[in-house]
């Protein structure tokens, strides 16, 4: 007992010392950040300024800003004249200035384009140079290279405990102190040299970067000032492609519009290397398998004319003969193993394919290999076809290892045939996944969820994937809306899905050879049972056939050729029946019904290397058209309302949505992300109102975050009953826009400031009155909110906390003016979610 008391006292003393240590450090003040630094070091506290000089006119600020732009304008004028043929690049400026004719409208347009190009070239150079010079000090504010946070606990702790020899002091130092950034570790002299080389790589051959270490009031601290002197920008003059063999020369001439170096553009070592790679890839695309960028020689002449670089692009000397002739594809040999070390004792010959494997049957059917390979025997080698073949094979999704090589059939001087060798190992056939999750929704519902999936890969030796999934969840109301121990909105759900995924198009009467691009076909059968306590029980069943394909990685197509969904209410309560009686629109949208639909989705996603990525999606969905057409052929009226499928009404509607995401990286300091969404749906024929699940709504963690889910609209409609308002605040038209500035705070913690706006409207007046009906003049009736957020990046997922603040509600609140939120507290909404909102 006495030992336990002693341990408790020791722990209490340690905790007290820890608290006092932090409090003591916090009172040391700014001077404590340098108290125990090495005598020969200065603490780096950021960049003082990055100035741009080297121009003869204007003040210091104009030299940094206007001087650069003016020089750009002057250079652009010259470039515009060269591009339009008004100036001969072989002559000097003074010799041609007097002979220039007045510029026409097209000439001015060309010069404007040249000015835009010159600005773009300078901004690219400026960004690269400043990236070299940028270095964040200790406790940088939002990643800034010049502004520090006033709370410098890490440095205070460093100076407080760097010489401490006690256990507690060493522990504090190891776990909480920040290593100071010294001027010597920033190495401004090295950075200035690298920045100077960067200027030269971008065409500023006489450019240079100077630096100055500026000691601050505290002589132990210093800032660094950089002075960038670009001087004249050199540009490409004549570009002469010469001495290529006849076939290569014709390829070069035909591809000149795609060249990365062009007459009049700024010289750049980066574009030169890109041009070498482009030419090598061009030749490889047309059979020159062994060609590499090193076989393209670049000669630059800077003596002929000042400010211009005359370029000669030609083959490198002494290129091996085997790299300078086109090659054809020969036979394909495939070695496929079920596991590492598998004995490949069985051989199978199919046309131009030789297959080796272990066992009696091949792990993957021969036609899968032929279908995935985009070249045939006798075809000229093509780089793009090699890449497509590898993509198609990897998309099958059954390999743990895969490689492809092309080897000359013989070593003679006249050899021109490459045999293809593929080595592959089949992955594990069975996969299982278990997902546990907890949901906290914007409508104040919370609860756990569980999902289990078992899948078999390569189920029928054709790359097929068969998966069975079962899932369930339980949710209850938290906060406002919960009544005692039993919430109005307690609910649980149980569902299952059986899916068959085939790594190719599976369509009758369609040849596989015509559809050789990467594609998948998925058939799915699913069922769902949902219980909403005190409201209803509903079952949903569905059967679908979906096709996905792409010819470019950035553009994906998805076609749901068939999707039959059936919704049936098993039981309802008196409260739910009362709501349905009061709202016939809601009744029609939630009644028993079939939804036979088709949809097409086009998705664009910019390349992963894109500096400012763009994502866009267009979706068109229709329901009931095919079914109604069959009735029409049987003599029934197109607009008849009583048509049924197997004794149950079926829905008819057309739904169109468009969505665009864009991210702009602002010099590495923060990201400006934006989103625009618009959608509309129209019912016809057998339906007056769309199914409830297909309707649009606004509000929630991924929408207008200052408002809870389904709490806005349609139009300026406001439900008289807040108890069940969420049920009928949906619409047929939706417009929504979001802007979010994301910035780093500390480590994996990031912050955000956002602005959201949006609303939904109806296309009929029967739902919520005339004010809810859509018109372009009513686009001003939107909910607007702002707020702050935190994001914690765990690498495998992002935890998101958002606090929305309402600024404007589209409905009457009793308060006049644009800011019409009755109480500030009424306009607050807190959201916890997984992942970014867009």
């Amino acid at each position: 007992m006495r030992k336990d008391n002693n341990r408790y006292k020791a722990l209490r003393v340690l905790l007290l010392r820890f608290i006092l240590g932090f409090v003591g450090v916090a009172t040391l003040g700014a001077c404590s950040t340098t108290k125990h630094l090495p005598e020969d070091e200065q603490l780096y506290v950021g960049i003082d300024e990055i100035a741009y000089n080297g121009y003869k006119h204007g003040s210091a600020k104009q030299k940094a800003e206007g001087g650069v732009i003016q020089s750009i304008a002057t250079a652009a004028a010259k470039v515009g004249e060269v591009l339009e043929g008004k100036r001969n690049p072989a002559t000097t400026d003074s010799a041609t200035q007097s002979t220039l004719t007045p510029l026409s409208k097209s000439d001015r347009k060309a010069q404007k384009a040249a000015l835009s190009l010159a600005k773009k070239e300078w901004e690219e150079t400026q960004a690269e140079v400043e990236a070299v010079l940028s270095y964040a000090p200790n406790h940088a504010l939002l990643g800034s290279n010049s502004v520090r946070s006033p709370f410098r606990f890490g440095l205070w702790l460093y100076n407080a405990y760097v010489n401490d020899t006690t256990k507690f002091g060493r522990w504090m130092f190891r776990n909480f102190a920040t290593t100071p950034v010294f001027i010597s570790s920033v190495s401004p002299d090295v950075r200035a040299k690298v920045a100077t080389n960067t200027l030269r790589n971008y065409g500023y051959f006489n450019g240079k970067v100077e630096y100055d270490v500026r000691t601050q009031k505290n002589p132990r601290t210093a800032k660094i000032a950089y002075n960038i002197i670009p001087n004249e920008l050199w540009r490409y003059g004549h570009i002469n492609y010469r001495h290529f063999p006849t076939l290569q020369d014709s390829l070069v001439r035909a591809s000149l519009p795609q060249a990365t170096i062009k007459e009049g553009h700024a010289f750049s070592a980066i574009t030169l290397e890109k041009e070498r790679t482009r030419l090598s890839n061009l030749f490889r695309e047309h059979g020159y398998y062994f060609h590499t960028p090193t076989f393209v020689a670049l000669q630059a002449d800077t003596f002929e004319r000042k400010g211009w670089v005359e370029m000669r692009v030609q083959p490198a000397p002494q290129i091996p003969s085997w790299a300078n002739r086109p090659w054809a594809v020969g036979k394909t040999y495939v070695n496929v193993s079920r596991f590492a070390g598998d004995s490949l004792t069985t051989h199978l010959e199919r046309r131009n394919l030789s297959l080796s494997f272990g066992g009696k049957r091949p792990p993957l059917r021969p036609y899968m290999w032929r279908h995935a390979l985009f070249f045939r025997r006798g075809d000229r080698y093509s780089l793009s076809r090699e890449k497509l073949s590898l993509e198609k094979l990897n998309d099958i999704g059954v390999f743990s290892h895969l490689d492809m090589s092309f080897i000359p059939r013989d070593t003679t001087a006249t050899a021109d045939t490459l045999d293809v060798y593929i080595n592959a190992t089949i992955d594990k056939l069975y996969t299982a996944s278990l997902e546990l999750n907890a949901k906290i929704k914007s409508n104040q519902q919370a609860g756990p969820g569980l999902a289990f999936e078992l899948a078999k890969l390569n189920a029928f030796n054709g790359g097929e994937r068969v998966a069975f999934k079962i899932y369930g969840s339980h949710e209850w109301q938290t906060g406002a809306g919960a009544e005692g121990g039993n919430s109005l909105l307690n609910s649980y759900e149980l569902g299952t899905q059986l899916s068959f995924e085939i790594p190719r198009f599976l369509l009758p009467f369609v040849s596989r050879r015509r559809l050789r691009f990467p594609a998948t076909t998925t058939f799915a059968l699913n069922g769902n049972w949902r219980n909403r306590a005190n409201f209803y029980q509903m079952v949903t069943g569905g059967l679908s056939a979906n096709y996905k394909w792409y010819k470019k990685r950035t553009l994906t197509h998805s076609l749901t050729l068939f999707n039959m969904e059936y919704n049936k209410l098993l039981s309802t309560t008196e409260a739910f029946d009362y709501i349905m009686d009061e709202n016939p629109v809601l009744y029609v949208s939630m009644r028993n019904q079939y939804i036979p639909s088709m949809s097409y989705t086009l998705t664009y996603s910019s390349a992963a290397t894109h500096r400012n990525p763009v994502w866009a999606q267009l979706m068109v969905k229709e329901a009931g058209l095919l079914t109604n057409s069959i009735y029409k052929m049987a003599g029934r009226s197109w607009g008849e309302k009583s048509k049924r499928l197997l004794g149950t009404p079926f829905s008819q509607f057309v739904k169109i949505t468009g969505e665009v995401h864009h991210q702009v990286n602002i010099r590495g300091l923060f990201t400006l992300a934006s989103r625009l969404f618009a959608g509309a749906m129209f019912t016809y024929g057998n339906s007056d109102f769309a199914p409830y699940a297909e309707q649009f709504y606004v509000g929630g963690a991924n929408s207008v975050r200052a408002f809870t889910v389904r709490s806005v609209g349609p139009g300026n409609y406001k439900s008289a009953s807040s108890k069940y308002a969420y049920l009928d605040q949906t619409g047929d038209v939706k417009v929504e826009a979001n802007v979010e500035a994301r910035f780093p705070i500390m480590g994996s913690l990031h912050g955000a400031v956002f602005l959201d706006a949006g609303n939904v409207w109806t296309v009929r007046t029967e739902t919520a009155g005339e004010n809810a009906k859509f018109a372009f003049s009513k686009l001003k009736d939107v909910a607007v909110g702002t707020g702050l957020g935190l994001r914690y990046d765990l690498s495998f997922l992002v935890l998101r906390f958002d606090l929305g603040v309402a600024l404007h509600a589209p409905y009457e609140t009793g308060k006049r003016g644009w800011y019409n939120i009755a109480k500030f507290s009424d306009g607050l909404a807190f959201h916890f979610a997984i992942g970014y909102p867009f």
Side-chain angles (χ1 to χ4, degrees):
M1 187 70 176
R2 184 175 297 174
K3 289 183 178 179
D4 291 341
N5 288 336
N6 290 338
R7 289 177 180 175
Y8 175 74
K9 289 180 181 178
L11 181 62
R12 186 170 60 181
V13 170
L14 183 62
L15 181 61
L16 181 62
R17 290 183 64 186
F18 178 76
I19 295 173
L20 291 176
F22 259 106
V23 173
V25 167
T27 60
L28 291 177
C31 63
S32 64
T33 61
T34 59
K35 185 176 181 180
H36 292 294
L37 297 183
E39 290 297 327
D40 58 343
E41 294 284 5
Q42 281 184 299
L43 181 69
Y44 170 69
V45 293
I47 292 178
D48 192 25
E49 67 172 341
I50 297 178
Y52 292 86
N53 293 329
Y55 297 97
K56 297 180 180 179
H57 58 279
S59 64
K61 184 175 181 181
Q62 288 174 329
K63 290 177 182 178
E65 299 174 359
V68 171
I69 299 300
Q70 181 61 38
S71 296
I72 288 173
T74 303
K78 291 200 308 180
V79 175
E81 292 161 9
V82 170
L83 296 178
E84 287 297 303
K86 293 288 183 179
R87 181 192 301 273
N88 183 350
T91 60
T92 62
D93 293 343
S94 59
T96 58
Q97 189 65 38
S98 60
T99 62
L100 288 177
T101 58
L103 296 179
S104 64
K105 184 177 180 180
S106 61
D107 295 332
R108 290 194 299 270
K109 184 178 179 180
Q111 285 202 354
K112 184 177 179 181
L115 175 61
S116 176
L117 172 64
K119 285 183 178 179
K120 181 181 178 182
E121 291 168 342
W122 167 249
E123 288 170 357
E124 183 180 357
T125 304
Q126 183 183 29
E128 292 296 326
V129 171
E130 292 189 3
V132 171
L133 301 178
S134 180
Y135 198 94
N138 292 112
H139 305 290
L141 186 64
L142 304 181
S144 172
N145 58 22
S146 58
V147 181
R148 298 192 299 162
S149 167
F151 305 106
R152 300 157 193 163
F153 294 108
L155 283 177
W156 294 338
L157 288 167
Y158 174 90
N159 285 273
Y161 292 105
V162 65
N163 297 321
D164 198 309
T165 58
T166 65
K167 274 189 178 182
F168 175 77
R170 301 309 299 166
W171 179 79
M172 289 284 289
F173 183 83
R174 283 196 312 269
N175 291 281
F176 300 103
T178 298
T179 302
V181 177
F182 300 121
I183 290 292
S184 61
S185 59
V186 177
S187 302
D189 54 337
V190 175
R191 291 182 179 276
K193 291 177 182 178
V194 174
T196 298
N197 288 335
T198 302
L199 280 174
R200 293 170 182 172
N201 285 339
Y202 279 90
Y204 295 91
F205 295 156
N206 300 315
K208 62 179 179 178
V209 178
E210 302 170 341
Y211 74 94
D212 180 31
V213 178
R214 297 178 178 177
T215 301
Q216 303 299 292
K217 290 182 180 180
N218 179 356
R220 302 305 308 278
T221 64
K223 289 189 172 185
I224 302 175
Y226 293 100
N227 184 29
I228 300 173
I229 307 174
N231 289 321
E232 183 180 6
L233 172 62
W234 289 62
R235 296 182 173 275
Y236 292 116
H238 292 300
I239 302 173
N240 184 16
Y241 294 85
R242 62 180 193 174
H243 302 330
F244 286 100
T246 304
L247 178 58
Q248 291 184 4
D249 186 72
S250 62
L251 293 173
V252 170
R253 303 298 170 188
S255 68
L256 284 180
Q258 288 79 47
T260 60
I261 58 174
K262 296 181 183 295
E263 186 177 306
H265 286 208
F267 174 89
S268 169
I270 291 84
T271 57
L272 282 178
E273 191 58 37
K274 287 182 178 179
E275 181 65 4
R276 295 177 73 190
T277 302
R278 185 191 74 84
L279 289 174
S280 182
N281 289 341
L282 174 68
F283 298 150
R284 294 193 68 197
E285 179 66 21
H286 291 82
Y288 295 85
Y289 175 76
F290 293 102
H291 202 283
T292 66
T294 58
F295 294 153
V296 177
L298 301 171
Q299 296 180 353
D301 182 359
T302 58
F303 293 100
E304 184 172 337
R305 286 181 301 134
K306 188 176 186 301
W308 299 93
V309 181
E310 310 297 334
M311 292 299 307
R312 290 182 287 275
V313 185
Q314 60 192 34
Q318 299 180 344
I319 298 178
S321 60
W322 40 264
N324 218 20
R325 63 172 177 264
W327 292 77
V329 176
K331 192 172 182 178
T332 301
Y333 298 87
V334 177
N335 301 316
V336 55
S337 308
R338 288 186 170 86
F339 52 86
D342 189 12
S343 179
L344 309 183
T345 57
T346 306
H347 304 281
L348 191 64
E349 296 289 333
R350 288 288 187 274
R351 297 183 185 175
N352 300 316
L353 178 71
S354 179
L355 192 64
S356 299
F357 53 91
K360 295 182 178 180
R361 293 192 302 176
L364 193 66
R365 296 182 182 182
Y367 74 80
M368 291 297 297
W369 296 100
R370 294 199 305 270
H371 182 71
L373 299 177
F374 284 75
F375 40 77
R376 292 290 180 265
R377 191 169 189 171
D379 289 349
R380 180 167 289 182
Y381 168 81
S382 166
L383 177 62
S384 63
R385 291 187 179 185
E386 178 187 354
K387 292 180 177 179
L388 282 172
S389 298
L390 282 171
E391 287 180 8
K392 189 71 180 289
L393 286 170
N394 282 309
D395 285 343
I396 296 175
V398 300
F399 302 113
S400 61
H401 168 78
L402 178 71
D403 66 68
M404 178 186 297
S405 57
F406 293 78
I407 300 176
R409 178 169 294 176
D410 56 69
T411 58
T412 63
T414 59
D416 63 354
T417 301
L418 298 169
D419 287 331
V420 186
Y421 289 83
I422 300 174
N423 297 302
T425 303
I426 298 294
D427 203 353
K428 296 178 181 178
L429 294 182
Y430 289 93
T431 63
S433 63
L434 179 66
E435 297 178 12
L436 297 172
N437 60 72
K439 298 180 181 178
I440 301 178
K441 294 185 177 180
S442 303
N443 58 358
Q444 297 178 316
Q445 292 186 72
L450 173 69
F452 174 75
E453 182 182 76
L454 179 65
K456 183 178 181 181
L457 306 181
N458 201 29
F460 309 110
N461 290 345
E464 302 87 356
R465 181 180 186 271
V466 179
F468 176 75
K469 182 177 182 179
I470 185 169
Y471 57 90
S473 65
H474 181 263
E475 299 174 3
W476 60 86
Q477 189 80 12
T478 62
E483 297 182 351
N486 185 25
S487 164
L488 275 172
L489 297 178
N490 277 351
S491 65
Y492 47 89
E493 181 179 359
L494 182 66
T496 183
Q497 183 184 68
L498 179 64
S499 63
F500 299 83
E501 183 177 302
I502 304 165
R504 60 188 179 279
F505 266 107
L506 194 62
L507 283 170
F509 314 113
V510 177
S511 171
R512 291 175 184 168
R513 292 187 177 182
R514 295 185 178 181
L515 304 174
R516 298 188 58 79
F517 38 81
T520 59
T521 301
T522 304
F523 300 102
L525 178 66
N526 60 75
N528 179 278
W529 174 54
R530 185 182 301 110
N531 179 80
R532 181 76 72 176
N534 296 328
F535 280 109
Y536 60 83
Q537 290 189 39
M538 175 183 284
V539 293
T540 300
L543 177 65
S544 64
N546 177 265
Y547 300 87
K548 287 186 178 180
W549 72 95
Y550 65 88
K551 293 184 177 180
K552 296 181 179 179
R553 278 288 185 183
T554 57
L555 203 61
T556 304
H557 307 263
S558 177
L559 174 65
T560 300
L561 193 60
F562 173 80
N563 183 34
M564 176 63 76
E565 185 176 313
Y566 175 64
N567 298 330
K568 181 177 178 60
L569 285 168
L570 295 179
S571 63
T572 60
T573 64
E574 291 184 3
F576 183 77
D577 292 337
Y578 173 77
I579 297 172
M580 296 299 102
D581 292 339
E582 292 293 315
N583 193 333
V585 176
L586 191 60
Y587 164 73
V588 171
S589 65
M590 297 192 69
R591 67 182 178 180
N592 298 342
Q593 59 187 311
Y594 282 101
I595 309 176
S597 64
M598 300 172 62
S599 65
Y600 170 75
T601 303
L602 178 65
T603 304
Y604 169 80
S605 181
S606 56
T609 56
H610 202 287
R611 181 180 177 86
N612 300 314
V614 176
W615 180 92
Q617 187 176 85
L618 176 67
M619 189 274 289
V620 179
K621 182 177 184 179
E622 72 80 25
L625 176 62
L626 180 61
T627 309
N628 203 41
S629 298
I630 295 174
Y631 272 92
K632 177 67 175 177
M633 289 187 291
R636 304 286 288 272
S637 171
W638 183 267
E640 184 179 336
K641 302 293 184 183
S642 59
K643 296 187 289 293
R644 292 174 177 265
L645 179 63
L646 300 177
T648 302
F650 61 88
S651 294
Q652 287 186 260
F653 63 85
V654 175
K655 183 178 183 180
I656 303 174
T657 64
E659 187 172 3
V660 179
H661 300 177
H662 186 216
Q663 292 186 18
V664 179
N665 192 328
I666 310 297
R667 296 193 177 182
L669 298 179
F670 66 92
T671 299
L672 189 65
S674 57
R675 168 181 174 264
L676 179 64
F677 177 93
M681 61 189 310
F682 309 91
T683 57
Y684 67 97
N686 215 36
S687 300
D688 289 326
F689 307 102
Y692 187 73
E694 297 289 345
Q695 296 176 10
F696 299 110
Y697 65 88
V698 163
N702 299 319
S703 180
V704 183
R705 284 162 279 185
F707 298 83
T708 56
V709 66
R710 292 188 179 91
S711 63
V712 176
N716 57 14
Y717 167 78
K718 182 174 177 59
S719 175
S721 171
S722 61
K723 191 173 185 180
Y724 305 115
Y726 84 98
L727 288 171
D728 56 6
Q729 292 196 254
T730 58
D732 307 311
V733 178
K734 177 180 177 179
V735 176
E736 187 174 286
N738 315 82
V739 178
E740 183 172 281
R742 302 167 182 167
F743 49 86
I745 296 178
M746 180 179 61
S748 299
L749 184 64
H750 299 256
V753 179
F754 55 83
L755 180 68
D756 305 321
N759 203 349
V760 294
W761 293 267
T762 63
V763 295
R764 300 174 183 269
T765 58
E766 297 94 322
T767 51
E770 186 65 35
N771 290 333
K773 187 176 181 180
F774 175 77
F776 285 102
S777 61
K778 295 181 181 179
L779 286 175
K780 64 181 184 298
D781 297 330
V782 294
V784 181
T786 186
L788 303 171
L790 293 174
R791 289 93 169 89
Y792 191 73
D793 191 347
L794 297 175
S795 71
F796 58 93
L797 61 85
V798 175
L799 301 178
R800 175 163 56 96
F801 305 86
D802 285 333
L803 175 64
V805 181
L807 299 177
H808 177 75
Y811 47 80
E812 179 61 41
T813 63
K815 184 176 181 179
R816 302 183 64 183
W818 188 81
Y819 179 79
N820 61 350
I821 309 303
K823 293 182 181 179
F824 181 77
S825 58
D826 292 341
L828 299 179
F830 176 77
H831 305 282
F832 168 70
I834 304 296
Y836 289 101
F838 52 88

